[in-house]
Amino acid sequence: MPRTALLLSTTLLSTALLAAVLTPTASQAADDPAPVPVDRFEGEVPFASQPAEGIFTWGGDGDDPPALQLTARADAPEGEKVLTGAYDISGYGGFTHDFAADRPAHDWSARRGIRLWWEGQDSGKKIPFEIKDGGANGEASELWTTSFTDDFTGWKQVELPFTGFAYRTDYQPVGGIDHVLGLTGMWGYAVTLPVGVKGRFAMDDVELYGRADQALRAKVTTDAAVYPVREGGTATVSVTVATTGSAPLDEPVTVAYATTGGTADPGRDYTPVTGTLTFPAGTASGATRTVKVRTLRDTTGEPAETVPLQLTVTGAKAPAETPQVVVDANGLPYLDARSPVRKRVADLLSRMSLEEKAGQMTQAERGAVGEGADVTAYQLGSLLSGGGSTPTPNTPEAWAEMIDGFQLRALATRLQIPLIYGVDAVHGHNNLVGATIMPHNIGIGATRDPQLAQRTGAVTASEVRATGVPWDFAPCVCVSRDERWGRSYESFGEDPALVESMETVIQGLQGRADGRDLKNDDKVLATAKHFVGDGGTEYGSSTTGTYTIDQGVTKVTRQQLEAVHLAPYRTAVDRGIGTVMPSYSSLDVLGDGQGPVKMHARADMINGVLKGRMGFDGFVISDWNAVDQLPGDYPSRVRTAVNAGVDMMMVPYGYQDFASTLIGQVNAGQVSRKRIDDAVSRILTQKFRLGLFEHPYARTDNASKIGGAAHRAVARQAAAQSQVLLKNSGGVLPLRKTQKVYVAGSNADDLGNQTGGWTVTWQGASGTHTQGTTILDAMREDGDVTYSKDASAPTAGYDVGVVVVGETPYAEGVGDVGNGHSLQLSAADRAAVDRVCAAMKCAVLIVSGRPLLVGDRLGAIDALVASWLPGTEGDGVADVLYGKRPFTGRLPVTWPRSEAQLPINVGDTSYDPQFPYGWGLTTLAKTPTGGAATLRALGVAAAAAERAGSDRAGRALVARARLIVQQKVGADVTAAVAKPFADADHLSLTGRYAEAVRKLAEAYRAA
């Protein structure tokens, strides 16, 4: 599910208040002070970056930063030169003037605003303009934004009053400072240029103008925008006046208030109030007055009613919104928590208008709705945080406060249907800094431990719900069939039987299959994704940007579809999965005559198979903007997806268009009202099951457990059990505390590489961006360790070397092989391996989301470990390296010899990998011994266990047989060994223990 990191979106910025475009004389007051130059563009400011003062460009990719120069112009509004530039921006781009960070910030608080000369091109485009307020420097400040429209030709002076700037809610470079435009610590400005058009610009003479008035330095706020109150109760509205720098008021501020308008009847539903609040000159900043609005009780059940409190402010800036008192809905059957869910759903549905139903089917991105007024205006049913879409600061408290603020907006609607908020918590609450980050699914698959998988899900659910989020877009139950896929690590493995066995994670997230636990404060609604076949797309079939395999085409027979890709969804439905997300990819079922069809359009699969044959009773949520990938115009795309069975549309920034289009399609008879009612019923059912009507706000009792020792212990165990020992010549592992260990490699001391993509941001990042322990730090706790990242330090005098290499973070198709990625180690990693392994006994750990090709170096490597992406708890890796825990992990995917073999999977007719599916040596103190006779005896016992239905005994017998085979084979895995060995692991997962032992005996004979 692609997610932006909420970059400098001109679409969002264009919604800011438009600045007035005025001639200088139009706003010049007789007593205004002379303007103060900021930029004259005569060469006094260099093109440079922080910490020096300078102008610099930026953009979404290499082509997006504009080209800037100082140009001599005879028509320059001031001086001889102007700043000119050319641009052709596809993502985002612009330029910044940052003031020097080694000097004091500028004080603009005495001025009315900032103005500049702009050479208009009459493009009709909005030009966002930002100023940088507070913080340590220009790149660690608060961004405040406004814009002007290029709807003129030639030079014009554009005035941007500071009162017109708004705090950016879609993107801030740092944690929140004070959310107040102080103007006393200014660090510069930035201009964002139009996207999607090739153009040029010229500007000159940026300066501060005018004299600040108190309305700039003082503002009136209320403690909330919405005040829900039970019928008969009294709402208390706190009105506060605050000033820049917390100085006392220079002049009096008055606030006239009156209850007027709304849906409630004065005198019948509430007692009207009017009056004036006065804050005299000299009043301290932060002073508060209150207005009380008393509601009246009656005996009639009714929906919620609104009482706006109109505020007229003199002497200060008024609140951005008119506060509303909301008299809660009451006395209606759907509000009765004792009533069965189906009856509550039916009653609520019967009261809803088409517009309200369309709202429930609409999901927007939090960054698109600002403070949340559109949640009320469009009666939205859901919001989400995309990867990297987080509150400022990114803390549990800020998450809960943010979501409660949005929920408050939902409770201002007529029927007060709560929002359901969703996040991609795919390996822990990975958007949250400080959360417990688990190994990615490929590592969980390597543990072969369903109970542990369930525990990791439970930890994730607890941490997610404690921040106010009741819905997780996880788990991915894809079956990864090609390691070149950038989402390989999101899969538990290549064998559907392995994926099914790991779906215990659903119970960890949701609780019991009947949904009775969803209302608990440590459970969340889970999502099985991506329906169906996303792990089977053909290499080279993707048409999305530069992707090579992600979002491509899966070509399968009907039998392959059922056995490989649909099987995990049957299990998910049986486990009570609450939501399902279709795939971006297309499905081409050979022989059905349809050819490749986008999954969001496949009614035969969503309505027919998932909801019909499988009996799925949850709701289907689209992927991010997936409706836009369907053919046809927008109305046809909407009706196709909805009619195919998509119940809620994830339309992050297009929620207004979707809702209005859906309503239009229903009114035109293109989407039936019955279909709408089915979708909304499914959505409401899950909201009732989650207990959101009774507890809409965050329940933070478990917040203290986030990132705590108990949760990290689970992640540590998962990291340890996920480590797969592929080779161990001479018993190099486990290490001994007495050994002198030389550690090298790019991934030994990099928490970001260790956690991978989908960590804090969508793509993840190298470096330290959350709390955790690197593999190096953990090893230092256990032994005598020297570290040299590039292995340039002298290598003499060490007992053993540990080289930790692998990939840097990526997510989705960005990580596809052929899209800037390969399955080869980097040159630096290869050099580190070669240097260390030539000098001493060595163990190589590969930290990656998929197998990497190491066959050309395998002979020089004594021990090889697949570490996958172990998460924040590097201690788990050190635990097995130093023998605190034995290596027990097994390959969840086949480890290929070469890229030419791909795709290669268990069950293939031709199968000759470097290491087979299921391979994993152990460092158990007591390793089973024996030969052919022992294997025959194990086969007899396995058959008996199978007849008795004793899965535990059957698995234990197969495990003994597997270890005996591996002990004989060593690292010399031939095709004759690999195929029956891999087949045995699949057979064991499907309960055919006797046949599994027979296959292992075949591998033993071939060794």
Side-chain angles (χ1 to χ4, degrees):
M1 186 163 112
R3 298 287 183 271
T4 69
L6 296 179
L7 301 169
L8 302 172
S9 166
T10 56
T11 303
L12 286 176
L13 287 174
S14 66
T15 64
L17 295 173
L18 298 183
V21 180
L22 306 169
T23 62
T25 56
S27 64
Q28 189 77 36
D31 60 348
D32 274 356
V36 176
V38 176
D39 268 335
R40 298 181 63 239
F41 302 118
E42 301 299 314
E44 74 281 8
V45 178
F47 291 96
S49 300
Q50 287 280 329
E53 177 161 12
I55 299 171
F56 62 94
T57 62
W58 36 264
D61 56 42
D63 298 329
D64 284 349
L68 302 182
Q69 60 183 353
L70 300 177
T71 304
R73 291 270 293 261
D75 63 343
E78 187 277 335
E80 297 179 354
K81 296 179 181 178
V82 302
L83 180 69
T84 63
Y87 57 88
D88 185 6
I89 300 168
S90 58
Y92 68 93
F95 62 93
T96 289
H97 176 186
D98 268 3
F99 303 147
D102 57 356
R103 300 176 209 165
H106 295 212
D107 186 345
W108 292 357
S109 62
R111 312 315 293 246
R112 179 178 301 149
I114 189 168
R115 64 189 180 193
L116 58 107
W117 286 91
W118 187 267
E119 186 180 34
Q121 308 296 319
D122 200 20
S123 66
K125 297 288 186 178
K126 290 182 173 60
I127 313 296
F129 187 96
E130 290 176 348
I131 53 179
K132 302 186 170 192
D133 180 56
N137 56 60
E139 299 308 288
S141 58
E142 283 187 344
L143 302 182
W144 291 74
T145 184
T146 187
S147 64
F148 62 91
T149 303
D150 182 353
D151 57 0
F152 53 92
T153 302
W155 289 106
K156 180 172 281 191
Q157 193 173 42
V158 178
E159 293 193 349
L160 306 169
F162 292 134
T163 52
F165 282 80
Y167 179 81
R168 284 195 61 170
T169 57
D170 60 306
Y171 171 79
Q172 288 289 341
V174 294
I177 297 170
D178 58 10
H179 293 217
V180 174
L181 182 56
L183 298 172
T184 58
M186 301 303 297
W187 292 106
Y189 67 86
V191 176
T192 302
L193 294 165
V195 173
V197 293
K198 195 171 183 177
R200 60 183 179 85
F201 77 92
M203 66 182 286
D204 197 14
D205 192 26
V206 182
E207 63 183 17
L208 306 176
Y209 74 94
R211 185 188 307 278
D213 56 28
Q214 182 169 275
L216 174 63
R217 299 192 305 274
K219 64 178 181 179
V220 169
T221 60
T222 58
D223 56 330
V226 178
Y227 297 84
V229 60
R230 290 185 178 182
E231 188 182 65
T234 298
T236 300
V237 179
S238 294
V239 180
T240 300
V241 64
T243 61
T244 299
S246 298
L249 292 178
D250 293 336
E251 304 167 13
V253 171
T254 61
V255 182
Y257 59 87
T259 48
T260 180
T263 59
D265 291 335
R268 188 176 73 86
D269 295 317
Y270 69 96
T271 301
V273 296
T274 59
T276 300
L277 305 175
T278 300
F279 299 88
T283 299
S285 177
T288 297
R289 309 280 190 272
T290 59
V291 177
K292 294 185 180 293
V293 180
R294 186 166 68 89
T295 67
L296 303 176
R297 185 184 300 277
D298 59 34
T299 58
T300 305
E302 54 194 350
E305 298 167 312
T306 57
V307 185
L309 183 64
Q310 189 69 45
L311 303 179
T312 304
V313 179
T314 304
K317 189 174 181 179
E321 296 181 59
T322 298
Q324 289 196 89
V325 175
V326 177
V327 185
D328 287 342
N330 60 93
L332 302 176
Y334 74 87
L335 298 172
D336 184 359
R338 298 166 299 180
S339 183
V341 167
R342 60 179 181 79
K343 289 188 176 181
R344 298 178 74 181
V345 169
D347 178 71
L348 179 52
L349 192 69
S350 71
R351 300 174 186 279
M352 296 174 69
S353 67
L354 177 59
E355 289 72 20
E356 288 165 330
K357 292 173 183 177
Q360 286 301 301
M361 295 175 66
T362 306
Q363 184 182 63
E365 221 289 331
R366 60 162 286 278
V369 298
E371 296 298 314
D374 273 4
V375 172
T376 307
Y378 292 90
Q379 303 168 96
L380 297 178
S382 181
L383 294 179
L384 83 151
S385 279
S389 175
T390 64
T392 304
N394 189 352
T395 63
E397 297 78 14
W399 275 89
E401 182 179 348
M402 173 187 73
I403 294 169
D404 283 354
F406 291 135
Q407 198 66 274
L408 191 64
R409 302 293 187 149
L411 297 185
T413 59
R414 184 177 71 94
L415 295 169
Q416 296 186 305
I417 303 173
L419 287 169
I420 180 171
Y421 198 101
V423 298
D424 287 279
V426 299
H427 62 140
H429 196 356
N430 43 254
N431 274 326
L432 173 65
V433 171
T436 306
I437 304 301
M438 301 291 172
H440 271 292
N441 282 355
I442 194 168
I444 300 299
T447 71
R448 293 301 202 282
D449 189 336
Q451 287 72 38
L452 180 58
Q454 182 168 339
R455 290 173 64 202
T456 65
V459 168
T460 298
S462 174
E463 297 199 1
V464 168
R465 194 69 181 258
T467 59
V469 179
W471 184 15
D472 184 5
F473 305 130
C476 187
V477 296
C478 52
V479 182
S480 176
R481 306 291 284 178
D482 192 328
E483 280 66 59
R484 292 169 291 187
W485 189 32
R487 305 191 79 136
S488 291
Y489 63 75
E490 293 189 50
S491 172
F492 291 113
E494 69 186 32
D495 182 356
L498 174 59
V499 174
E500 289 180 81
S501 73
M502 293 294 110
E503 289 184 66
T504 50
V505 69
I506 294 171
Q507 264 56 67
L509 292 166
Q510 289 195 167
R512 285 169 288 188
D514 61 6
R516 73 177 74 176
D517 298 325
L518 284 171
K519 63 183 180 299
N520 296 349
D521 63 3
D522 62 351
K523 295 300 174 194
V524 294
L525 196 68
T527 307
K529 63 183 188 182
H530 303 89
F531 187 80
V532 59
D534 53 335
T537 52
E538 287 192 349
Y539 189 81
S541 66
S542 181
T543 57
T544 299
T546 56
Y547 293 6
T548 58
I549 188 167
D550 189 35
Q551 304 185 25
V553 180
T554 298
K555 294 182 180 179
V556 287
T557 64
R558 177 67 64 175
Q559 183 180 9
Q560 290 169 331
L561 175 66
E562 294 284 346
V564 176
H565 298 291
L566 277 172
Y569 288 93
R570 288 193 294 269
T571 299
V573 171
D574 290 344
R575 287 187 172 277
I577 195 76
T579 60
V580 169
M581 181 182 291
S583 176
Y584 282 119
S585 58
S586 299
L587 179 63
D588 185 358
V589 181
L590 302 178
D592 75 352
Q594 295 189 62
V597 179
K598 284 282 187 181
M599 275 307 310
H600 282 75
R602 291 213 64 140
D604 61 329
M605 299 304 300
I606 300 174
N607 284 332
V609 175
L610 179 65
K611 292 181 176 180
R613 194 181 82 202
M614 292 184 183
F616 172 61
D617 65 357
F619 70 89
V620 174
I621 171 70
S622 87
D623 211 328
W624 179 281
N625 271 340
V627 67
D628 289 338
Q629 293 195 9
L630 301 183
D633 59 17
Y634 191 65
S636 71
R637 298 198 295 269
V638 167
R639 70 171 173 265
T640 296
V642 173
N643 285 336
V646 179
D647 302 305
M648 181 184 286
M649 209 69 67
M650 190 185 293
V651 277
Y653 299 99
Y655 56 92
Q656 299 175 11
D657 288 343
F658 170 73
S660 61
T661 300
L662 178 59
I663 291 166
Q665 289 294 290
V666 174
N667 287 332
Q670 297 296 307
V671 177
S672 71
R673 292 180 183 267
K674 181 179 179 181
R675 170 71 194 102
I676 297 298
D677 285 353
D678 172 62
V680 177
S681 294
R682 291 170 176 270
I683 295 164
L684 294 177
T685 295
Q686 299 302 343
K687 289 186 176 185
F688 280 118
R689 285 176 174 171
L690 284 162
L692 294 177
F693 283 82
E694 288 70 52
H695 300 285
Y697 299 115
R699 290 182 286 169
T700 59
D701 290 349
N702 290 323
S704 62
K705 299 178 182 178
I706 294 174
H711 287 183
R712 290 186 183 272
V714 175
R716 180 174 182 167
Q717 181 183 348
Q721 290 186 215
S722 72
Q723 304 298 293
V724 180
L725 184 58
L726 300 172
K727 179 182 179 182
N728 194 26
S729 296
V732 168
L733 295 177
L735 304 172
R736 297 185 302 277
K737 283 182 174 291
T738 56
Q739 289 178 307
K740 291 185 67 177
V741 182
Y742 185 103
V743 179
S746 60
N747 286 350
D749 193 32
D750 194 304
L751 194 63
N753 291 355
Q754 188 175 303
T755 52
W758 287 110
T759 308
V760 181
T761 59
W762 172 39
Q763 289 294 314
S766 299
T768 302
H769 47 56
T770 189
Q771 285 86 56
T773 304
T774 67
I775 295 170
L776 175 66
D777 284 340
M779 291 182 66
R780 282 174 169 157
E781 292 293 318
D782 288 318
D784 182 1
V785 169
T786 296
Y787 174 58
S788 175
K789 181 176 180 179
D790 61 358
S792 60
T795 55
Y798 292 93
D799 298 309
V800 65
V802 175
V803 192
V804 189
V805 296
E807 296 184 306
T808 55
Y810 55 80
E812 303 190 37
V814 175
D816 284 352
V817 168
N819 188 24
H821 294 267
S822 78
L823 298 181
Q824 302 288 341
L825 292 175
S826 70
D829 279 350
R830 293 196 298 271
V833 170
D834 291 346
R835 181 170 170 79
V836 174
C837 292
M840 65 192 82
K841 291 181 178 180
C842 70
V844 173
L845 276 62
I846 299 180
V847 175
S848 64
R850 53 197 166 195
L852 300 184
L853 303 174
V854 293
D856 57 342
R857 284 171 169 77
L858 192 56
I861 297 171
D862 297 293
L864 181 65
V865 179
S867 279
W868 310 115
L869 299 169
T872 50
E873 307 314 300
D875 298 283
V877 181
D879 285 344
V880 292
L881 290 178
Y882 277 92
K884 291 181 181 179
R885 290 178 181 269
F887 278 94
T888 57
R890 287 142 61 192
L891 283 180
V893 293
T894 299
W895 200 285
R897 293 184 186 275
S898 71
E899 194 169 333
Q901 287 185 314
L902 298 175
I904 182 171
N905 294 287
V906 58
D908 288 353
T909 303
S910 176
Y911 191 74
D912 184 22
Q914 193 83 67
F915 298 104
Y917 168 78
W919 185 263
L921 305 177
T922 188
T923 52
L924 285 166
K926 294 183 179 180
T927 303
T929 58
T934 303
L935 290 171
R936 284 194 296 273
L938 290 173
V940 172
E946 194 174 327
R947 287 192 299 272
S950 178
D951 290 327
R952 171 176 283 189
R955 287 193 295 267
L957 292 163
V958 174
R960 286 184 60 192
R962 179 176 59 82
L963 293 174
I964 290 170
V965 172
Q966 286 182 152
Q967 193 172 42
K968 181 183 181 185
V969 171
D972 185 21
V973 183
T974 64
V977 169
K979 183 169 176 52
F981 187 94
D983 290 343
D985 206 69
H986 169 74
L987 290 164
S988 178
L989 284 165
T990 56
R992 290 174 285 177
Y993 306 117
E995 181 66 8
V997 174
R998 190 185 70 78
K999 285 287 184 182
L1000 288 169
E1002 181 183 333
Y1004 184 87
R1005 291 192 297 272

